[in-house]
Amino acid sequence: MTMSNMLNMPVNAKDVKIMNYINGEFVAPTSGSYLMSYNPATGEEMTPIPDSMSKDVDNAVCAAKNAFPMWSNMPATERAAMLNRVADMIDENCQKLATLESQDQGKPVMMAAMCDMPTCANTFRQFAKYIVDGIMETKSTANVMMTKMSVTKNEPSTMMATTQHVPAGVAGLITPWNFPMQMVCEKIAPCIAVGNTCVVKPTELTSVTPFVLSQIMDAAGIPAGVVNFVFGTGTKAGEPLVKHKDVRLISFTGGSLTGARVGAMSGGMYKRVSLELGGKNPSLVFSDCDMNHAVATNVRAAFQNQGEICLCSSRQYVQRDVYDMYLQMFRQMTMEEVIVGDPSNPKTFYGPVVSKQHMEKVMSYIRLAQEEGAKVEFLVNPNDKMVKNVSKDGMLTIKGMEGGYYIAPTLITGMKQSSRLMQEEIFGPVVCVMPFKTEEEAIQLANDTEYGLGASVWTMDKVKMMRVMKQVNAGSVWGNSWCNVDDNMPFGGMGCSGTSREHGPWSLEFYTETKALYYPSMK
């Protein structure tokens, strides 16, 4: 029997019985209380989620602390072998995991199967390879004069120096709902690869695949206590994890307001903190760009994953002399290609947003646009027989899924730069498009928010492209493309978009302490 067969993984999220995973055991929350999760495609109840408390967090942190000496001293090759087994099991169960991810989060099954799950497996393999190859240490040699301050005799000497990266201890990993499985994997893999242990607190909105990942890690032979999962709310489970005295690192991905609170709670406790937060990402479209390519990519950048991507191009600035043509092409391409509906249908471009509460939040911005006198267009193909109704604030009623949390692809024009529509993260299938005249104005508009996560620049003039890219305040800037992420490059934001950098070598730096070792040259 293979490890995957031992899992007996269900294909319906209703059949997943979520429990905390602490010290190698699947356990109920100490309170005995549960929250209910809902299928965003239908609005129906799905499966209970543990409503964990500080006692559950204490138990998980204790387990992680006790496992740390064993795990941190295990040879890197042995840790790497276990990470590779996790990757293999994710690959073997790709379609099932994608189906569960879709039922829990709302994204199309095809997207989860083609993008999310392969990324999860590749992340574990990437960091397994990093630690087998060895972290690159800095070495130095210098001729120095020993003094009475340092030794008992004064004489010239050759001093050697090298860095040593060591695991930091117990990490608290707090993850969001837009990429439930992927974000958990992107934190766990580097964290445990270098020898840390961890407590994971996934969002209560999308806990199904993180729980299944705990089963995969158990079946793959990850030792008890190395990885622990505590499910529940941010207030009852997340805050105790952030504040716990034995947690040395916090990696948080989520909204900027919550991230600010996490940073404040950690500030006086000398914890290492990484915050990957929201974005209000500009796309600058110059008149000399490849217009077909720009429009096609910006449609995807606006609406992929229901617009629930921190890197979505939700602000699009188009040079005045091609503005009308761009809008015409954008409308046409969206109505032709962006099919909203059943996430299990391979033809679906995007599905429902994650929850009823989030649907109301997104539609509140649509109502704001209408109140401010902006032009609001719902780009729904009139020939789409599955769309029964479009409400005045953009809610879609899909045939056979009338209770789902669907929102029309929404185009807003005619708003002011100072509007909340242009300044706040909407995080839904809503895009605002505004004209600009000059390169200088485009840069000024792009930088006119508190966010700084991502941006894209569209022009066939390479010199101008690089000039503009270097002046846009964002952690990642793409030229004539969007969201082509290289996992060996740093990822993170500026301002309200976060602190620190992760991915690749930057994750290895974050999850380790760096020591400087000095020693004399000895014959």
Side-chain angles (χ1 to χ4, degrees), residues 304-324:
Q304 189 166 323
N305 204 50
Q306 304 81 241
E308 297 169 333
I309 303 177
C310 57
L311 289 167
C312 272
S313 298
S314 55
R315 292 185 296 145
Q316 300 187 8
Y317 299 99
V318 183
Q319 201 149 26
R320 172 68 72 178
D321 53 349
V322 294
Y323 178 72
D324 291 337

Side-chain angles (χ1 to χ4, degrees), residues 21-155:
Y21 180 62
I22 299 174
N23 201 29
E25 300 288 338
F26 294 98
V27 295
T30 54
S31 66
S33 299
Y34 290 82
L35 309 164
M36 181 53 67
S37 67
Y38 296 85
N39 185 331
T42 63
E44 297 173 350
E45 289 187 355
M46 195 162 58
T47 191
I49 310 295
D51 188 11
S52 301
M53 314 284 280
S54 59
K55 177 62 176 173
D56 302 291
V57 173
D58 287 340
N59 293 340
V61 173
C62 180
K65 184 178 179 181
N66 290 338
F68 177 72
M70 171 275 300
W71 183 251
S72 60
N73 285 293
M74 181 181 289
T77 53
E78 294 183 26
R79 294 200 302 267
M82 294 185 196
L83 267 63
N84 282 323
R85 284 202 295 272
V86 172
D88 290 343
M89 293 180 71
I90 292 172
D91 279 343
E92 291 165 11
N93 292 279
C94 176
Q95 195 61 42
K96 288 183 178 180
L97 286 165
T99 300
L100 294 172
E101 188 85 321
S102 174
Q103 292 170 4
D104 200 24
Q105 198 274 338
K107 66 180 62 189
V109 173
M110 181 174 289
M111 175 184 171
M114 295 181 65
C115 300
D116 298 27
M117 299 310 146
T119 298
C120 293
N122 290 340
T123 299
F124 279 99
R125 292 195 181 97
Q126 175 191 21
F127 287 101
K129 185 176 187 303
Y130 267 129
I131 60 173
V132 169
D133 290 347
I135 298 175
M136 186 67 68
E137 301 291 359
T138 301
K139 299 182 186 300
S140 178
T141 303
N143 292 320
V144 298
M145 175 65 75
M146 297 283 195
T147 68
K148 288 185 177 180
M149 182 178 292
S150 56
V151 293
T152 57
K153 56 184 177 180
N154 296 344
E155 62 180 26

Side-chain angles (χ1 to χ4, degrees), residues 187-463:
K187 293 184 187 300
I188 291 177
C191 177
I192 67 172
V194 298
N196 297 305
T197 57
C198 63
V199 177
V200 186
K201 208 299 284 183
T203 172
E204 69 276 16
L205 292 177
T206 52
S207 297
V208 172
T209 51
F211 171 72
V212 175
L213 178 63
S214 73
Q215 294 179 307
I216 288 174
M217 303 195 83
D218 186 73
I222 302 294
V226 173
V227 180
N228 305 270
F229 284 76
V230 176
F231 297 91
T233 65
T235 302
K236 294 180 182 179
E239 286 195 17
L241 180 59
V242 171
K243 293 178 179 178
H244 202 288
K245 63 182 179 60
D246 291 328
V247 173
R248 303 311 312 148
L249 306 93
I250 295 291
S251 178
F252 171 88
T253 299
S256 296
L257 291 177
T258 307
R261 181 167 173 77
V262 169
M265 286 189 292
S266 307
M269 301 183 73
Y270 309 106
K271 297 178 188 284
R272 181 173 295 190
V273 180
S274 175
L275 304 174
E276 195 268 284
L277 309 177
K280 191 69 177 176
N281 311 295
S283 179
L284 306 182
V285 181
F286 288 91
S287 58
D288 61 350
C289 73
D290 179 337
M291 190 61 67
N292 288 324
H293 183 36
V295 172
T297 305
N298 275 337
V299 167
R300 183 168 61 90
F303 301 125
Q304 189 166 323
N305 204 50
Q306 304 81 241
E308 297 169 333
I309 303 177
C310 57
L311 289 167
C312 272
S313 298
S314 55
R315 292 185 296 145
Q316 300 187 8
Y317 299 99
V318 183
Q319 201 149 26
R320 172 68 72 178
D321 53 349
V322 294
Y323 178 72
D324 291 337
M325 179 178 67
Y326 179 89
L327 287 177
Q328 182 179 354
M329 294 174 65
F330 190 96
R331 292 186 189 103
Q332 181 177 350
M333 188 167 294
T334 301
M335 288 194 287
E336 289 177 354
E337 299 187 8
V338 178
I339 299 172
V340 185
D342 182 356
S344 67
N345 185 338
K347 295 181 179 180
T348 295
F349 187 91
Y350 74 76
V353 297
V354 72
S355 68
K356 185 175 182 180
Q357 181 182 15
H358 189 61
M359 178 177 69
E360 292 295 338
K361 174 199 168 185
V362 174
M363 292 193 303
S364 74
Y365 281 98
I366 295 173
R367 290 191 290 270
L368 173 65
Q370 293 165 337
E371 291 165 4
E372 290 184 348
K375 183 178 181 180
V376 177
E377 301 174 69
F378 302 126
L379 305 182
V380 179
N381 190 323
N383 297 319
D384 188 342
K385 305 299 184 184
M386 299 305 293
V387 177
K388 295 176 63 176
N389 184 59
V390 185
S391 74
K392 63 180 180 180
D393 46 10
M395 184 173 73
L396 291 182
T397 303
I398 303 296
K399 185 177 180 181
M401 296 185 163
E402 287 79 2
Y405 314 134
Y406 296 93
I407 299 176
T410 303
L411 170 65
I412 302 176
T413 54
M415 64 276 133
K416 296 179 179 179
Q417 174 66 15
S418 59
S419 170
R420 288 172 51 212
L421 299 162
M422 299 296 284
Q423 298 296 323
E424 298 177 8
E425 184 178 40
I426 299 174
F427 217 59
V430 178
V431 61
C432 299
V433 183
M434 177 180 286
F436 70 87
K437 291 182 179 179
T438 65
E439 178 181 320
E440 293 73 22
E441 183 187 10
I443 295 168
Q444 185 273 323
L445 290 169
N447 292 336
D448 183 30
T449 72
E450 295 181 341
Y451 293 94
L453 188 61
S456 57
V457 178
W458 296 88
T459 174
M460 297 305 292
D461 183 335
K462 185 177 179 180
V463 174

